[in-house]
Every structure is written in structure tokens, then in C-alpha cells.
Amino acid sequence: MSDSFDVVVIGGGPAGYPAAIRAGQNKLSVACIDEWKNLDGMYAFGGTCLNAGCIPSKALLESTELYHRAKEEFAAHGIKAPDVTIDVGQMQKRKAGIVKTMTQGILALFKGAGVTPLQGHGKLLSGHRVEFTAPDGARRELTAKNIILAAGSAPIELRSAPFQSPYIVDSWGALEFASVPKRLGVIGAGVIGLELGSVWKRLGSEVVMLEALPDFLAVADQQLAKEALRHFKKLGLDIRLGAKVTGASVAGDTVNVTYTDAKGEQKVTVDRLVVAIGRRPYTKDLLGSGTGVELDERGFIKVDHECRTAAQGVWAVGDCVRGPMLAHKGKEEGVMVADLIAGHYAEVNYKTVPSVVYTAPEMAWVGLTEEQVKAQGKAYKVGVFPFLASGRARAMEQAQGFAKIIAAKEDDEILGVHIIGPMAGELIAEAVLAMEYSASSEDLQRTIHAHPTLSEVLHEAALAVDKRAIDSINR
Ligand code: FAD
Ligand code: NAD
């Protein structure tokens, strides 16, 4: 096998593997190095997302949502299922099967695109060289005109609550519980906390979430965050805001957590504790000396808007660089870089990266929040339409939440869209496309939406921007 390539990608997660595939599609010779090992000791491409993130979490969210609906909603449909039970072992087996199929699929995609897979460790050296260490310790030096770093991220550990498996765990640990913890503590009421807290709550855990900030979902539009908090409280998530964790210690089979809040010192005892306070870029043993690649003060690899590092011919994409830590953001960066290397036009529009939180109700947004628009001093209009007024949502017994569209007063351009409700993550795609084309709310108003569909909620929200909604009273 040749040790010289047009492109070497280090990292085979959702940023790295699409970069390798697109490079192959562009007729470049390409190798992709990845060192991810699963709990069974097997190497697997796909990174955090496919092995321990997006995919396994969505598998568990789907299973537990079905269980929850069978118990709580079937009766409303007239379906009698009094003895619904959950087999956690089977649920976990299904999840593992999905992960295996998806990760093995990457090898097939590599074959199709002519990508050389290399499982083991990659280290950038100076002068367009990469050191590859195979699982048996054998080392090879590869050369490449272009090298793409896609090393991803790792969970942040909390000094006052260090990981101590199986009691104090990160998100991967929380995806692997073999039984339902009676009491589950979650530090951080962010995306992971809410998704994994929901999974175990639906199966019967008493879930306490300790969030340091006084505002719930501070990054989201606050109208949406308020609505979400109301629903999560109804589900039974005990979300405690302004809670600063001061310690966590394992005592027998339980974990004692201490924290302070506005009322002073507090204590809570749980059976398992998940720490989900964010992720940090992962660059361990990635950079040899004299590469010229620079890190910022938080450890992210410094890149320009086209993901070029300070070293000629070295690029970096995904969670290890600035921007939201999302699989689709990393994918677009990887594809952009592979196209730029091949001399094609490519760019990523960071203004239209959608966010989705796969809870029930689901949340999704793109663009600016109302708070951000206000802070910019821009004159704006808002249209809100509730799922309560959607025939389809009612037929689905999921008439919760709303769609909200913010448009500029001056030229009606859509500035932000925020949805909480059924299938919000699917519905947001229309808003992303609209914003990608700099659409106005009038453009959405004049677009025909099939009846009865959930997408009509977005249509009516666009009409509501100009107080012309048909299926609700305009105020
Ligand atoms: P990673 O996926 O972390 O992949 C990096 C890969 O590089 C890894 O396989 C790693 O082993 C390998 N690597 C690192 N250094 C080296 C080296 N020196 N040599 C060889 N290999 C190396 N995002 C979403 O968009 N939607 C979701 O629903 C979602 N759900 C999530 C749920 C959870 C529980 C978690 C933890 C994350 C979730 N994310 C989600 C975030 C998403 O997983 C990340 O944004 C995404 O995986 C980042 O992709 P990446 O390729 O940059 O990094
Ligand atoms: P996050 O940034 O979404 O949430 C972390 C939360 O922890 C925040 O609310 C923060 O205020 C809080 N926090 C921080 N320090 C704390 C402390 N000491 N005590 C208590 N609370 C504290 O991070 P996450 O939930 O860990 O997720 C990590 C990344 O993974 C995110 O960037 C996210 O984009 C990505 N992810 C995405 C999805 C999705 O797209 N659906 C799902 C899971 C994860």
C-alpha cells in the first residue's frame, strides 16, 4: 500500500468521514485514520455521533417515547394496553444493533468512494507528514499534500464530581445503563441532560437536574425555553436552576451530591449521577512538534472561515474547531474542505446551522432568537402559531407547543425560526431552506402547505407575522 496520499484525514466521525468520502468523490487519493474503540474492544468508524452520541441516544429516545406514549396516551385513542412493560436489555440490544449497522456502513461507503480506512492513531508531523500507529504498535509515516484534522471532542469533567464509573458517569455511561436507576442525578440541564434525563425519566427514574445558570436553556429563544420548562416539569423532571455543585461522593451504592443555590447549601442522594456540562475539543497526542497548527485559549484548533489552520495544507473541521458542536455542522465543514482542496467552490453558511433537541415535545431552531434580534436593535415582527390549532397535531394527540417566526420589519426577511412541538426537528428544515434563500415571511405565506400536515403550523406562523393567520385569532 502506498504511504503517499493527496489527502489524509485524522478522525472518522461525522466531520472526518464525509470529508474523506467527498475527497474520494473528487478523485483524490485519500486515507482516513480513526482510533475509536467501542466497549466490546472493536474499532469502529463514526466517532462520538454514531457510537456514543446522536445515534444511540435517538434509538433510546424513540424506544422510551413509544413506551411512554403506550402508557400515557393510548387510552385516549381507545387502545387498551394495561400491561405495557419495558425490557431494558432488549432496548439496549436494539440500540447496539443500530450502532453496529451504521458504523459498519461507513466502511462500505469508504469502499465505494475509494477511501483507504486506517484504524489506529494518527499524529500530525511537520512537513505534510502524518505518523500512523496501528493497534499492534507498528508505526508508518504517511505523506499528504493536504491533511484534515477531525479529532472531535470529549466530555468535560467536573472537578467537584469526578467520573467514577458506574456511579458518576458521562453521557456514554448514561447510554449504557443496564437497568433503570431509581434516582438519577444529572448535572447540566443542557441538550444531553434533557435528552438523557428524558430517556430514564420515561422509564420510571426520579430525575433531578442541577443547572448552574439561573435561566433554563439560556442559548434558546426564551419564549421557547419557558414553554419547554413547563412541559418538562409536567413530565416530572425536577429541574433545579442556579444550582452550583460543590461535591459528589460515592457511598455504598449511592452518590451524595452537595450544591448551593439561592437558598444556601443543599444535598441530594441519587443512585447514578450523569455529568453533562458540555464538551471540550479533543487534541490529545494529535500534534507533533513544529507543525505550525495553533490552539486557542480553550484548546480549539484555530481556523479561518474556510477551516484552514495556520499551517499550510492543514485543515481542521468539526467539534475540534470553533462553532456549535453538532454533527451536521462538522459534516458540512468536512465536505467544504474536501471540495476546496479539489479546487471547487464551497462554503458553509454558519448563520443557518439548525439546532434540534430530541425531547418530547421536540425543539428546533435556526437563526436569531428574539433576545438576539432585540440586542441588535433591529425592528422586527413576530408570528406565533400553536400546535393546538393544528388538526394533524390533534389527530396525533400531540398538540403541544408552537412555531415562532421572527422577521425584519424593514424588508420582512426571516431572521429566526423557533419550533417546539411534534416533529420540530423535521419541520425546521423548511425554515433552514427559506433562510438559506433569504426568504421573507411573505415567501412562506405564499407557499402552499398540504393539509392536514404539521407543516401548516409554520405556514400559519408566517401568516401571523403580518397578523393574517387564518386558523387562529390574530392579536
Ligand atoms: P467525533 O464524532 O468526536 O469524532 C472524532 C473521531 O476522531 C473519533 O472517532 C476519535 O476517536 C477520532 N480521533 C481523535 N483523535 C484521533 C487521533 N489522533 N487519531 C485517530 N483518531 C482520532 N449532534 C447532533 O448534531 N445531533 C445530535 O442528535 C447529537 N446528539 C448527541 C448526543 C450525545 C450523547 C453526544 C455526546 C453528542 C451528540 N451530538 C449530536 C454531538 C455530535 O456527536 C458531535 O458534534 C459530532 O460527533 C462531532 O463530530 P466530529 O467528527 O467533529 O467528532
Ligand atoms: P450543553 O452546553 O448543551 O449544556 C451544558 C449545560 O450544563 C449548560 O446548561 C450549562 O449551563 C450547564 N453547566 C455547565 N457547567 C455546570 C456546572 N458546573 N454545574 C451545573 N451545570 C453546569 O452541553 P451538553 O449537554 O453536555 O452537550 C455537549 C454538546 O453535545 C453540545 O454542544 C451539544 O451541541 C452536543 N449535543 C447535541 C445534541 C443535539 O443536537 N440534539 C444532543 C446532545 C449533545
Side-chain angles (χ1 to χ4, degrees):
M1 186 199 303
S2 165
D3 282 347
S4 173
F5 295 91
D6 293 322
V7 180
V8 168
V9 184
I10 304 180
Y17 89 76
I21 289 174
R22 177 53 59 88
Q25 289 169 345
N26 286 337
K27 308 277 177 251
L28 299 167
S29 64
V30 52
C32 183
I33 303 174
D34 191 89
E35 66 182 357
W36 186 280
K37 245 188 190 175
N38 272 321
L39 299 176
D40 58 6
M42 303 295 282
Y43 282 87
F45 279 93
T48 307
C49 178
L50 274 79
N51 291 289
C54 327
I55 301 305
S57 62
K58 268 77 246 180
L60 296 189
L61 279 158
E62 192 63 32
S63 298
T64 57
E65 175 63 2
L66 284 177
Y67 173 70
H68 182 76
R69 295 189 68 193
K71 282 184 59 158
E72 305 295 327
E73 280 175 23
F74 274 17
H77 293 269
I79 303 170
K80 291 197 174 118
D83 299 322
V84 179
T85 56
I86 182 92
D87 175 347
V88 175
Q90 169 56 25
M91 178 183 81
Q92 292 289 23
K93 204 168 137 196
R94 185 188 92 97
K95 176 204 77 182
I98 295 166
V99 168
K100 198 163 188 185
T101 308
M102 300 288 294
T103 55
Q104 286 180 348
I106 294 175
L107 284 172
L109 295 174
F110 277 177
K111 204 168 174 197
V115 177
T116 302
L118 293 173
Q119 283 170 316
H121 185 76
K123 183 173 185 172
L124 178 72
L125 305 176
S126 59
H128 296 260
R129 292 172 305 135
V130 171
E131 179 186 82
F132 169 66
T133 308
D136 63 4
R139 289 187 182 177
R140 270 166 66 190
E141 203 171 279
L142 314 177
T143 56
K145 287 184 211 103
N146 286 279
I147 296 158
I148 305 174
L149 307 176
S153 64
I156 295 175
E157 191 161 10
L158 189 57
R159 214 172 292 160
S160 54
F163 295 129
Q164 195 177 331
S165 181
Y167 300 101
I168 305 177
V169 297
D170 63 11
S171 53
W172 196 2
L175 287 166
E176 299 296 332
F177 291 150
S179 59
V180 182
K182 188 168 175 322
R183 297 162 302 177
L184 179 67
V186 182
I187 306 182
V191 193
I192 291 181
L194 290 170
E195 289 186 356
L196 295 184
S198 298
V199 162
W200 297 107
K201 175 67 206 165
R202 290 167 188 165
L203 298 186
S205 284
E206 294 161 25
V207 178
V208 178
M209 303 182 69
L210 304 175
E211 165 59 46
L213 292 180
D215 293 326
F216 177 64
L217 272 182
V219 294
D221 184 277
Q222 284 304 291
Q223 188 178 356
L224 179 143
K226 273 200 188 89
E227 175 81 1
L229 187 58
R230 203 169 61 79
H231 287 291
F232 296 145
K233 281 191 168 161
K234 222 163 96 188
L235 175 71
L237 291 177
D238 179 356
I239 299 171
R240 303 183 188 177
L241 300 172
K244 307 235 165 20
V245 174
T246 49
S249 56
V250 176
D253 269 350
T254 60
V255 186
N256 294 320
V257 187
T258 52
Y259 64 96
T260 55
D261 63 10
K263 291 188 195 129
E265 275 193 23
Q266 309 284 348
K267 270 188 199 155
V268 61
T269 299
V270 294
D271 300 297
R272 292 288 184 271
L273 180 65
V274 184
V275 180
I277 57 164
R279 296 176 63 84
R280 58 174 174 80
Y282 181 80
T283 52
K284 192 175 164 215
D285 209 16
L286 175 70
L287 305 172
S289 59
T291 62
V293 172
E294 293 170 6
L295 303 183
D296 71 13
E297 63 288 350
R298 292 165 64 208
F300 288 95
I301 298 172
K302 274 193 192 171
V303 288
D304 68 8
H305 67 290
E306 290 182 326
C307 294
R308 284 185 183 81
T309 72
Q312 197 272 325
V314 182
W315 313 69
V317 295
D319 279 11
C320 63
V321 305
R322 83 283 174 267
M325 287 183 166
L326 294 171
H328 42 282
K329 172 263 193 187
K331 180 179 186 181
E332 290 311 310
E333 287 180 337
V335 166
M336 167 183 75
V337 166
D339 279 342
L340 290 173
I341 288 171
H344 302 317
Y345 168 79
E347 68 172 338
V348 171
N349 181 0
Y350 289 96
K351 287 186 180 156
T352 55
V353 179
S355 293
V356 182
V357 187
Y358 297 83
T359 44
E362 202 159 281
M363 297 177 269
W365 59 86
V366 60
L368 300 176
T369 63
E370 190 169 348
E371 291 74 27
Q372 288 168 329
V373 175
K374 251 188 211 154
Q376 288 183 2
K378 236 181 176 149
Y380 65 95
K381 321 178 264 184
V382 174
V384 177
F385 190 84
F387 281 94
L388 258 181
S390 154
R392 186 66 190 274
R394 281 197 179 263
M396 292 167 70
E397 198 63 27
Q398 288 188 45
Q400 307 158 330
F402 56 76
K404 169 176 179 176
I405 297 182
I406 307 166
K409 209 161 209 167
E410 193 189 2
D411 59 3
D412 195 33
E413 182 173 351
I414 298 172
L415 303 173
V417 177
H418 308 270
I419 306 174
I420 175 167
M423 309 301 278
E426 305 296 328
L427 295 175
I428 202 68
E430 179 183 356
V432 175
L433 187 66
M435 288 184 66
E436 194 58 47
Y437 283 83
S438 305
S440 61
S441 81
E442 188 185 347
D443 289 326
L444 277 194
Q445 291 173 18
R446 294 188 184 279
T447 303
I448 300 173
H449 291 70
H451 177 75
T453 61
L454 296 174
S455 70
E456 287 172 293
V457 172
L458 204 60
H459 186 213
E460 288 279 346
L463 289 162
V465 166
D466 289 325
K467 311 232 174 298
R468 300 199 307 177
I470 300 297
D471 288 322
S472 74
I473 297 162
N474 296 285
R475 294 176 210 280

